[in-house]
mmCIF file of all heavy atoms in Angstrom:
data_model
loop_
_atom_site.group_PDB
_atom_site.id
_atom_site.type_symbol
_atom_site.label_atom_id
_atom_site.label_comp_id
_atom_site.label_asym_id
_atom_site.label_seq_id
_atom_site.Cartn_x
_atom_site.Cartn_y
_atom_site.Cartn_z
ATOM 1 N N TRP O 17 102.422 59.950 -52.969
ATOM 2 C CA TRP O 17 103.813 60.348 -52.813
ATOM 3 C C TRP O 17 104.678 59.259 -53.422
ATOM 4 O O TRP O 17 104.445 58.077 -53.122
ATOM 5 C CB TRP O 17 104.184 60.552 -51.343
ATOM 6 C CG TRP O 17 105.592 61.057 -51.235
ATOM 7 C CD1 TRP O 17 105.995 62.359 -51.279
ATOM 8 C CD2 TRP O 17 106.775 60.270 -51.112
ATOM 9 N NE1 TRP O 17 107.351 62.419 -51.201
ATOM 10 C CE2 TRP O 17 107.871 61.148 -51.096
ATOM 11 C CE3 TRP O 17 107.031 58.905 -51.042
ATOM 12 C CZ2 TRP O 17 109.172 60.715 -50.998
ATOM 13 C CZ3 TRP O 17 108.330 58.471 -50.942
ATOM 14 C CH2 TRP O 17 109.390 59.383 -50.918
ATOM 15 N N PRO O 18 105.625 59.620 -54.228
ATOM 16 C CA PRO O 18 105.875 60.959 -54.758
ATOM 17 C C PRO O 18 104.662 61.469 -55.530
ATOM 18 O O PRO O 18 103.864 60.688 -56.030
ATOM 19 C CB PRO O 18 107.083 60.783 -55.663
ATOM 20 C CG PRO O 18 107.653 59.438 -55.383
ATOM 21 C CD PRO O 18 106.584 58.638 -54.731
ATOM 22 N N SER O 19 104.559 62.774 -55.633
ATOM 23 C CA SER O 19 103.422 63.411 -56.278
ATOM 24 C C SER O 19 103.312 63.008 -57.744
ATOM 25 O O SER O 19 104.314 62.789 -58.421
ATOM 26 C CB SER O 19 103.550 64.932 -56.201
ATOM 27 O OG SER O 19 103.515 65.344 -54.866
ATOM 28 N N THR O 20 102.071 62.904 -58.191
ATOM 29 C CA THR O 20 101.793 62.638 -59.601
ATOM 30 C C THR O 20 100.694 63.604 -60.039
ATOM 31 O O THR O 20 99.848 63.997 -59.230
ATOM 32 C CB THR O 20 101.321 61.187 -59.825
ATOM 33 O OG1 THR O 20 100.160 60.956 -59.038
ATOM 34 C CG2 THR O 20 102.391 60.184 -59.465
ATOM 35 N N PRO O 21 100.693 63.986 -61.309
ATOM 36 C CA PRO O 21 99.659 64.907 -61.787
ATOM 37 C C PRO O 21 98.264 64.301 -61.637
ATOM 38 O O PRO O 21 98.095 63.091 -61.743
ATOM 39 C CB PRO O 21 99.996 65.103 -63.263
ATOM 40 C CG PRO O 21 101.396 64.643 -63.420
ATOM 41 C CD PRO O 21 101.637 63.614 -62.352
ATOM 42 N N SER O 22 97.292 65.135 -61.370
ATOM 43 C CA SER O 22 95.865 64.808 -61.308
ATOM 44 C C SER O 22 95.482 63.845 -60.178
ATOM 45 O O SER O 22 94.414 63.268 -60.210
ATOM 46 C CB SER O 22 95.362 64.269 -62.651
ATOM 47 O OG SER O 22 95.810 62.941 -62.877
ATOM 48 N N GLN O 23 96.347 63.669 -59.203
ATOM 49 C CA GLN O 23 95.989 62.876 -58.024
ATOM 50 C C GLN O 23 96.258 63.720 -56.777
ATOM 51 O O GLN O 23 97.042 64.654 -56.811
ATOM 52 C CB GLN O 23 96.777 61.576 -57.975
ATOM 53 C CG GLN O 23 96.396 60.648 -59.108
ATOM 54 C CD GLN O 23 96.963 59.260 -58.909
ATOM 55 O OE1 GLN O 23 97.891 59.047 -58.161
ATOM 56 N NE2 GLN O 23 96.383 58.306 -59.599
ATOM 57 N N GLN O 24 95.585 63.366 -55.687
ATOM 58 C CA GLN O 24 95.747 64.106 -54.438
ATOM 59 C C GLN O 24 97.222 64.143 -54.039
ATOM 60 O O GLN O 24 97.844 63.111 -53.844
ATOM 61 C CB GLN O 24 94.937 63.456 -53.323
ATOM 62 C CG GLN O 24 95.103 64.081 -51.956
ATOM 63 C CD GLN O 24 94.630 65.512 -51.905
ATOM 64 O OE1 GLN O 24 93.578 65.828 -52.406
ATOM 65 N NE2 GLN O 24 95.412 66.382 -51.306
ATOM 66 N N GLN O 25 97.786 65.338 -53.937
ATOM 67 C CA GLN O 25 99.188 65.476 -53.551
ATOM 68 C C GLN O 25 99.325 65.534 -52.040
ATOM 69 O O GLN O 25 98.414 65.970 -51.338
ATOM 70 C CB GLN O 25 99.800 66.725 -54.170
ATOM 71 C CG GLN O 25 99.899 66.649 -55.670
ATOM 72 C CD GLN O 25 100.574 67.881 -56.264
ATOM 73 O OE1 GLN O 25 100.866 68.832 -55.572
ATOM 74 N NE2 GLN O 25 100.829 67.831 -57.546
ATOM 75 N N MET O 26 100.474 65.107 -51.558
ATOM 76 C CA MET O 26 100.762 65.172 -50.137
ATOM 77 C C MET O 26 100.840 66.642 -49.731
ATOM 78 O O MET O 26 101.536 67.430 -50.350
ATOM 79 C CB MET O 26 102.101 64.469 -49.856
ATOM 80 C CG MET O 26 102.534 64.554 -48.420
ATOM 81 S SD MET O 26 104.084 63.672 -48.123
ATOM 82 C CE MET O 26 105.245 64.693 -49.029
ATOM 83 N N MET O 27 100.110 67.011 -48.699
ATOM 84 C CA MET O 27 100.117 68.391 -48.219
ATOM 85 C C MET O 27 101.112 68.565 -47.077
ATOM 86 O O MET O 27 101.608 69.648 -46.839
ATOM 87 C CB MET O 27 98.728 68.791 -47.736
ATOM 88 C CG MET O 27 97.649 68.651 -48.800
ATOM 89 S SD MET O 27 97.835 69.821 -50.130
ATOM 90 C CE MET O 27 97.169 71.265 -49.388
ATOM 91 N N MET O 28 101.348 67.500 -46.350
ATOM 92 C CA MET O 28 102.288 67.515 -45.234
ATOM 93 C C MET O 28 102.574 66.068 -44.864
ATOM 94 O O MET O 28 101.899 65.166 -45.326
ATOM 95 C CB MET O 28 101.726 68.286 -44.028
ATOM 96 C CG MET O 28 100.360 67.841 -43.522
ATOM 97 S SD MET O 28 100.274 66.417 -42.409
ATOM 98 C CE MET O 28 101.239 66.903 -41.050
ATOM 99 N N HIS O 29 103.597 65.878 -44.044
ATOM 100 C CA HIS O 29 103.861 64.541 -43.533
ATOM 101 C C HIS O 29 104.483 64.663 -42.147
ATOM 102 O O HIS O 29 104.964 65.724 -41.763
ATOM 103 C CB HIS O 29 104.753 63.723 -44.479
ATOM 104 C CG HIS O 29 106.161 64.206 -44.559
ATOM 105 N ND1 HIS O 29 106.554 65.225 -45.401
ATOM 106 C CD2 HIS O 29 107.281 63.819 -43.886
ATOM 107 C CE1 HIS O 29 107.852 65.438 -45.245
ATOM 108 N NE2 HIS O 29 108.321 64.603 -44.336
ATOM 109 N N LEU O 30 104.476 63.582 -41.415
ATOM 110 C CA LEU O 30 105.051 63.547 -40.075
ATOM 111 C C LEU O 30 106.471 63.010 -40.155
ATOM 112 O O LEU O 30 106.726 62.028 -40.856
ATOM 113 C CB LEU O 30 104.218 62.651 -39.154
ATOM 114 C CG LEU O 30 102.747 63.021 -39.011
ATOM 115 C CD1 LEU O 30 102.026 61.966 -38.174
ATOM 116 C CD2 LEU O 30 102.588 64.401 -38.406
ATOM 117 N N ASP O 31 107.397 63.646 -39.446
ATOM 118 C CA ASP O 31 108.758 63.132 -39.262
ATOM 119 C C ASP O 31 108.846 62.636 -37.832
ATOM 120 O O ASP O 31 108.658 63.410 -36.891
ATOM 121 C CB ASP O 31 109.804 64.233 -39.489
ATOM 122 C CG ASP O 31 109.984 64.586 -40.956
ATOM 123 O OD1 ASP O 31 109.660 63.742 -41.813
ATOM 124 O OD2 ASP O 31 110.453 65.696 -41.236
ATOM 125 N N ILE O 32 109.127 61.358 -37.677
ATOM 126 C CA ILE O 32 109.154 60.736 -36.358
ATOM 127 C C ILE O 32 110.556 60.227 -36.080
ATOM 128 O O ILE O 32 111.058 59.346 -36.788
ATOM 129 C CB ILE O 32 108.125 59.588 -36.272
ATOM 130 C CG1 ILE O 32 106.711 60.147 -36.556
ATOM 131 C CG2 ILE O 32 108.199 58.893 -34.917
ATOM 132 C CD1 ILE O 32 105.646 59.089 -36.714
ATOM 133 N N GLU O 33 111.183 60.784 -35.056
ATOM 134 C CA GLU O 33 112.537 60.371 -34.673
ATOM 135 C C GLU O 33 112.466 59.058 -33.901
ATOM 136 O O GLU O 33 111.609 58.884 -33.028
ATOM 137 C CB GLU O 33 113.185 61.448 -33.811
ATOM 138 C CG GLU O 33 114.605 61.109 -33.402
ATOM 139 C CD GLU O 33 115.257 62.195 -32.553
ATOM 140 O OE1 GLU O 33 114.699 63.297 -32.430
ATOM 141 O OE2 GLU O 33 116.339 61.911 -32.019
ATOM 142 N N VAL O 34 113.362 58.140 -34.236
ATOM 143 C CA VAL O 34 113.450 56.842 -33.560
ATOM 144 C C VAL O 34 114.907 56.589 -33.159
ATOM 145 O O VAL O 34 115.809 57.257 -33.654
ATOM 146 C CB VAL O 34 112.932 55.695 -34.465
ATOM 147 C CG1 VAL O 34 111.460 55.902 -34.803
ATOM 148 C CG2 VAL O 34 113.748 55.570 -35.732
ATOM 149 N N ASP O 35 115.123 55.632 -32.277
ATOM 150 C CA ASP O 35 116.502 55.338 -31.880
ATOM 151 C C ASP O 35 117.090 54.145 -32.626
ATOM 152 O O ASP O 35 118.290 53.925 -32.591
ATOM 153 C CB ASP O 35 116.607 55.139 -30.364
ATOM 154 C CG ASP O 35 115.741 54.013 -29.843
ATOM 155 O OD1 ASP O 35 115.038 53.348 -30.643
ATOM 156 O OD2 ASP O 35 115.751 53.791 -28.618
ATOM 157 N N ASP O 36 116.255 53.372 -33.318
ATOM 158 C CA ASP O 36 116.718 52.219 -34.098
ATOM 159 C C ASP O 36 115.812 52.119 -35.324
ATOM 160 O O ASP O 36 114.652 51.697 -35.211
ATOM 161 C CB ASP O 36 116.653 50.945 -33.251
ATOM 162 C CG ASP O 36 117.107 49.703 -33.991
ATOM 163 O OD1 ASP O 36 116.889 49.606 -35.223
ATOM 164 O OD2 ASP O 36 117.668 48.808 -33.341
ATOM 165 N N LEU O 37 116.325 52.509 -36.471
ATOM 166 C CA LEU O 37 115.513 52.610 -37.679
ATOM 167 C C LEU O 37 114.956 51.254 -38.105
ATOM 168 O O LEU O 37 113.770 51.131 -38.417
ATOM 169 C CB LEU O 37 116.327 53.249 -38.803
ATOM 170 C CG LEU O 37 115.572 53.669 -40.051
ATOM 171 C CD1 LEU O 37 114.427 54.610 -39.726
ATOM 172 C CD2 LEU O 37 116.525 54.309 -41.047
ATOM 173 N N THR O 38 115.774 50.237 -38.106
ATOM 174 C CA THR O 38 115.330 48.914 -38.561
ATOM 175 C C THR O 38 114.196 48.380 -37.700
ATOM 176 O O THR O 38 113.155 47.957 -38.215
ATOM 177 C CB THR O 38 116.513 47.929 -38.584
ATOM 178 O OG1 THR O 38 117.515 48.440 -39.463
ATOM 179 C CG2 THR O 38 116.073 46.554 -39.057
ATOM 180 N N SER O 39 114.365 48.408 -36.388
ATOM 181 C CA SER O 39 113.310 47.871 -35.521
ATOM 182 C C SER O 39 112.077 48.771 -35.517
ATOM 183 O O SER O 39 110.950 48.284 -35.376
ATOM 184 C CB SER O 39 113.825 47.622 -34.105
ATOM 185 O OG SER O 39 114.216 48.826 -33.488
ATOM 186 N N ALA O 40 112.253 50.076 -35.698
ATOM 187 C CA ALA O 40 111.107 50.984 -35.760
ATOM 188 C C ALA O 40 110.270 50.705 -37.005
ATOM 189 O O ALA O 40 109.033 50.700 -36.948
ATOM 190 C CB ALA O 40 111.574 52.435 -35.731
ATOM 191 N N VAL O 41 110.928 50.469 -38.130
ATOM 192 C CA VAL O 41 110.199 50.133 -39.356
ATOM 193 C C VAL O 41 109.453 48.819 -39.159
ATOM 194 O O VAL O 41 108.271 48.695 -39.512
ATOM 195 C CB VAL O 41 111.146 50.064 -40.575
ATOM 196 C CG1 VAL O 41 110.435 49.464 -41.784
ATOM 197 C CG2 VAL O 41 111.698 51.442 -40.903
ATOM 198 N N GLU O 42 110.108 47.826 -38.586
ATOM 199 C CA GLU O 42 109.458 46.534 -38.343
ATOM 200 C C GLU O 42 108.220 46.701 -37.474
ATOM 201 O O GLU O 42 107.172 46.107 -37.745
ATOM 202 C CB GLU O 42 110.438 45.562 -37.684
ATOM 203 C CG GLU O 42 111.537 45.084 -38.606
ATOM 204 C CD GLU O 42 112.617 44.291 -37.890
ATOM 205 O OE1 GLU O 42 112.536 44.092 -36.647
ATOM 206 O OE2 GLU O 42 113.576 43.858 -38.569
ATOM 207 N N ARG O 43 108.325 47.503 -36.425
ATOM 208 C CA ARG O 43 107.178 47.741 -35.521
ATOM 209 C C ARG O 43 106.053 48.452 -36.258
ATOM 210 O O ARG O 43 104.888 48.067 -36.138
ATOM 211 C CB ARG O 43 107.610 48.548 -34.309
ATOM 212 C CG ARG O 43 106.453 49.009 -33.438
ATOM 213 C CD ARG O 43 106.617 48.605 -32.010
ATOM 214 N NE ARG O 43 105.571 49.179 -31.177
ATOM 215 C CZ ARG O 43 104.453 48.546 -30.856
ATOM 216 N NH1 ARG O 43 104.261 47.314 -31.280
ATOM 217 N NH2 ARG O 43 103.550 49.112 -30.091
ATOM 218 N N ALA O 44 106.383 49.496 -37.013
ATOM 219 C CA ALA O 44 105.358 50.237 -37.741
ATOM 220 C C ALA O 44 104.625 49.338 -38.732
ATOM 221 O O ALA O 44 103.395 49.384 -38.840
ATOM 222 C CB ALA O 44 105.980 51.436 -38.456
ATOM 223 N N VAL O 45 105.372 48.490 -39.438
ATOM 224 C CA VAL O 45 104.760 47.566 -40.397
ATOM 225 C C VAL O 45 103.877 46.556 -39.663
ATOM 226 O O VAL O 45 102.765 46.245 -40.109
ATOM 227 C CB VAL O 45 105.841 46.888 -41.262
ATOM 228 C CG1 VAL O 45 105.264 45.737 -42.068
ATOM 229 C CG2 VAL O 45 106.495 47.918 -42.183
ATOM 230 N N ALA O 46 104.331 46.057 -38.534
ATOM 231 C CA ALA O 46 103.528 45.109 -37.763
ATOM 232 C C ALA O 46 102.215 45.737 -37.290
ATOM 233 O O ALA O 46 101.204 45.041 -37.143
ATOM 234 C CB ALA O 46 104.331 44.603 -36.559
ATOM 235 N N LEU O 47 102.222 47.060 -37.087
ATOM 236 C CA LEU O 47 101.015 47.764 -36.640
ATOM 237 C C LEU O 47 100.084 48.142 -37.793
ATOM 238 O O LEU O 47 98.971 48.604 -37.563
ATOM 239 C CB LEU O 47 101.398 49.025 -35.870
ATOM 240 C CG LEU O 47 102.074 48.802 -34.525
ATOM 241 C CD1 LEU O 47 102.606 50.123 -33.964
ATOM 242 C CD2 LEU O 47 101.103 48.150 -33.540
ATOM 243 N N GLY O 48 100.541 47.979 -39.037
ATOM 244 C CA GLY O 48 99.678 48.258 -40.181
ATOM 245 C C GLY O 48 100.223 49.231 -41.209
ATOM 246 O O GLY O 48 99.564 49.514 -42.206
ATOM 247 N N ALA O 49 101.422 49.771 -40.995
ATOM 248 C CA ALA O 49 102.033 50.662 -41.981
ATOM 249 C C ALA O 49 102.606 49.843 -43.137
ATOM 250 O O ALA O 49 102.820 48.630 -43.004
ATOM 251 C CB ALA O 49 103.146 51.489 -41.333
ATOM 252 N N THR O 50 102.864 50.511 -44.240
ATOM 253 C CA THR O 50 103.556 49.880 -45.362
ATOM 254 C C THR O 50 104.709 50.778 -45.789
ATOM 255 O O THR O 50 104.612 52.004 -45.709
ATOM 256 C CB THR O 50 102.624 49.644 -46.574
ATOM 257 O OG1 THR O 50 102.030 50.881 -46.952
ATOM 258 C CG2 THR O 50 101.538 48.645 -46.258
ATOM 259 N N GLU O 51 105.798 50.152 -46.221
ATOM 260 C CA GLU O 51 106.942 50.928 -46.697
ATOM 261 C C GLU O 51 106.680 51.419 -48.115
ATOM 262 O O GLU O 51 106.137 50.694 -48.941
ATOM 263 C CB GLU O 51 108.212 50.072 -46.708
ATOM 264 C CG GLU O 51 108.848 49.922 -45.353
ATOM 265 C CD GLU O 51 110.226 49.297 -45.440
ATOM 266 O OE1 GLU O 51 111.186 50.011 -45.818
ATOM 267 O OE2 GLU O 51 110.327 48.097 -45.147
ATOM 268 N N ALA O 52 107.079 52.657 -48.363
ATOM 269 C CA ALA O 52 106.964 53.210 -49.711
ATOM 270 C C ALA O 52 107.979 52.527 -50.615
ATOM 271 O O ALA O 52 109.080 52.158 -50.170
ATOM 272 C CB ALA O 52 107.221 54.713 -49.684
ATOM 273 N N ASP O 53 107.633 52.346 -51.877
ATOM 274 C CA ASP O 53 108.572 51.763 -52.834
ATOM 275 C C ASP O 53 109.774 52.677 -53.045
ATOM 276 O O ASP O 53 110.896 52.208 -53.130
ATOM 277 C CB ASP O 53 107.885 51.515 -54.179
ATOM 278 C CG ASP O 53 106.862 50.396 -54.117
ATOM 279 O OD1 ASP O 53 106.993 49.499 -53.253
ATOM 280 O OD2 ASP O 53 105.913 50.424 -54.923
ATOM 281 N N PHE O 54 109.514 53.976 -53.128
ATOM 282 C CA PHE O 54 110.584 54.948 -53.352
ATOM 283 C C PHE O 54 111.122 55.427 -52.010
ATOM 284 O O PHE O 54 110.374 55.919 -51.168
ATOM 285 C CB PHE O 54 110.049 56.129 -54.164
ATOM 286 C CG PHE O 54 111.069 57.222 -54.388
ATOM 287 C CD1 PHE O 54 112.232 56.977 -55.095
ATOM 288 C CD2 PHE O 54 110.862 58.488 -53.877
ATOM 289 C CE1 PHE O 54 113.175 57.982 -55.305
ATOM 290 C CE2 PHE O 54 111.791 59.504 -54.078
ATOM 291 C CZ PHE O 54 112.945 59.249 -54.789
ATOM 292 N N GLN O 55 112.418 55.272 -51.805
ATOM 293 C CA GLN O 55 113.097 55.719 -50.586
ATOM 294 C C GLN O 55 114.201 56.688 -51.005
ATOM 295 O O GLN O 55 115.222 56.272 -51.543
ATOM 296 C CB GLN O 55 113.680 54.528 -49.808
ATOM 297 C CG GLN O 55 112.639 53.555 -49.288
ATOM 298 C CD GLN O 55 111.776 54.154 -48.197
ATOM 299 O OE1 GLN O 55 112.185 55.057 -47.460
ATOM 300 N NE2 GLN O 55 110.558 53.661 -48.077
ATOM 301 N N PRO O 56 114.016 57.999 -50.771
ATOM 302 C CA PRO O 56 114.965 58.990 -51.283
ATOM 303 C C PRO O 56 116.261 59.114 -50.490
ATOM 304 O O PRO O 56 117.219 59.700 -50.982
ATOM 305 C CB PRO O 56 114.172 60.294 -51.220
ATOM 306 C CG PRO O 56 113.214 60.082 -50.112
ATOM 307 C CD PRO O 56 112.860 58.627 -50.157
ATOM 308 N N GLN O 57 116.302 58.569 -49.276
ATOM 309 C CA GLN O 57 117.501 58.689 -48.443
ATOM 310 C C GLN O 57 117.780 57.359 -47.756
ATOM 311 O O GLN O 57 116.859 56.641 -47.390
ATOM 312 C CB GLN O 57 117.303 59.765 -47.367
ATOM 313 C CG GLN O 57 117.074 61.153 -47.930
ATOM 314 C CD GLN O 57 116.541 62.078 -46.866
ATOM 315 O OE1 GLN O 57 115.352 62.101 -46.596
ATOM 316 N NE2 GLN O 57 117.441 62.836 -46.255
ATOM 317 N N ASP O 58 119.064 57.073 -47.536
ATOM 318 C CA ASP O 58 119.430 55.822 -46.875
ATOM 319 C C ASP O 58 119.133 55.828 -45.385
ATOM 320 O O ASP O 58 118.914 54.772 -44.791
ATOM 321 C CB ASP O 58 120.924 55.529 -47.077
ATOM 322 C CG ASP O 58 121.254 55.199 -48.523
ATOM 323 O OD1 ASP O 58 120.346 54.740 -49.257
ATOM 324 O OD2 ASP O 58 122.416 55.408 -48.925
ATOM 325 N N ASP O 59 119.141 57.011 -44.761
ATOM 326 C CA ASP O 59 118.988 57.085 -43.305
ATOM 327 C C ASP O 59 117.581 57.496 -42.867
ATOM 328 O O ASP O 59 117.349 57.825 -41.703
ATOM 329 C CB ASP O 59 120.021 58.038 -42.709
ATOM 330 C CG ASP O 59 119.934 59.442 -43.283
ATOM 331 O OD1 ASP O 59 119.257 59.637 -44.318
ATOM 332 O OD2 ASP O 59 120.538 60.357 -42.705
ATOM 333 N N VAL O 60 116.636 57.469 -43.796
ATOM 334 C CA VAL O 60 115.236 57.793 -43.524
ATOM 335 C C VAL O 60 114.381 56.734 -44.195
ATOM 336 O O VAL O 60 114.697 56.287 -45.294
ATOM 337 C CB VAL O 60 114.859 59.191 -44.074
ATOM 338 C CG1 VAL O 60 113.378 59.473 -43.894
ATOM 339 C CG2 VAL O 60 115.707 60.273 -43.428
ATOM 340 N N ARG O 61 113.312 56.329 -43.557
ATOM 341 C CA ARG O 61 112.391 55.377 -44.161
ATOM 342 C C ARG O 61 111.044 56.054 -44.301
ATOM 343 O O ARG O 61 110.490 56.572 -43.319
ATOM 344 C CB ARG O 61 112.224 54.114 -43.297
ATOM 345 C CG ARG O 61 113.439 53.224 -43.344
ATOM 346 C CD ARG O 61 113.401 52.379 -44.535
ATOM 347 N NE ARG O 61 114.349 52.116 -45.504
ATOM 348 C CZ ARG O 61 115.122 52.865 -46.284
ATOM 349 N NH1 ARG O 61 115.171 54.113 -46.204
ATOM 350 N NH2 ARG O 61 115.886 52.386 -47.199
ATOM 351 N N VAL O 62 110.523 56.068 -45.515
ATOM 352 C CA VAL O 62 109.195 56.612 -45.786
ATOM 353 C C VAL O 62 108.204 55.456 -45.722
ATOM 354 O O VAL O 62 108.414 54.416 -46.347
ATOM 355 C CB VAL O 62 109.131 57.285 -47.171
ATOM 356 C CG1 VAL O 62 107.735 57.834 -47.433
ATOM 357 C CG2 VAL O 62 110.189 58.376 -47.297
ATOM 358 N N LEU O 63 107.160 55.652 -44.942
ATOM 359 C CA LEU O 63 106.101 54.654 -44.802
ATOM 360 C C LEU O 63 104.755 55.331 -45.017
ATOM 361 O O LEU O 63 104.664 56.563 -45.010
ATOM 362 C CB LEU O 63 106.137 54.008 -43.412
ATOM 363 C CG LEU O 63 107.369 53.177 -43.107
ATOM 364 C CD1 LEU O 63 108.350 53.981 -42.292
ATOM 365 C CD2 LEU O 63 106.985 51.922 -42.386
ATOM 366 N N TYR O 64 103.715 54.512 -45.177
ATOM 367 C CA TYR O 64 102.343 54.993 -45.242
ATOM 368 C C TYR O 64 101.588 54.411 -44.060
ATOM 369 O O TYR O 64 101.715 53.214 -43.767
ATOM 370 C CB TYR O 64 101.652 54.537 -46.527
ATOM 371 C CG TYR O 64 102.350 54.988 -47.789
ATOM 372 C CD1 TYR O 64 103.062 54.085 -48.564
ATOM 373 C CD2 TYR O 64 102.302 56.319 -48.193
ATOM 374 C CE1 TYR O 64 103.700 54.492 -49.727
ATOM 375 C CE2 TYR O 64 102.947 56.737 -49.357
ATOM 376 C CZ TYR O 64 103.637 55.817 -50.112
ATOM 377 O OH TYR O 64 104.277 56.222 -51.258
#
């Protein structure tokens, strides 16, 4: 993601509501997630 030709495309993703975006991203990263390079919206954070 974003999709590229000839590679496994995203079939679905989870949307997780949080009450504090900055601290939620920090927690997710501390647990092992990584932030995507491409962020299509200012009020949403895409992670892996």
Side-chain angles (χ1 to χ4, degrees):
W17 184 87
S19 297
T20 58
S22 74
Q23 293 191 341
Q24 176 63 45
Q25 294 183 354
M26 176 178 68
M27 302 292 281
M28 54 82 60
H29 69 275
L30 303 175
D31 286 337
I32 301 171
E33 181 179 350
V34 298
D35 59 0
D36 180 327
L37 191 55
T38 301
S39 64
V41 169
E42 289 171 0
R43 171 126 174 95
V45 169
L47 292 171
T50 56
E51 281 191 77
D53 290 334
F54 177 62
Q55 296 292 333
Q57 298 165 277
D58 292 335
D59 58 346
V60 175
R61 287 277 131 308
V62 180
L63 295 99
Y64 302 107

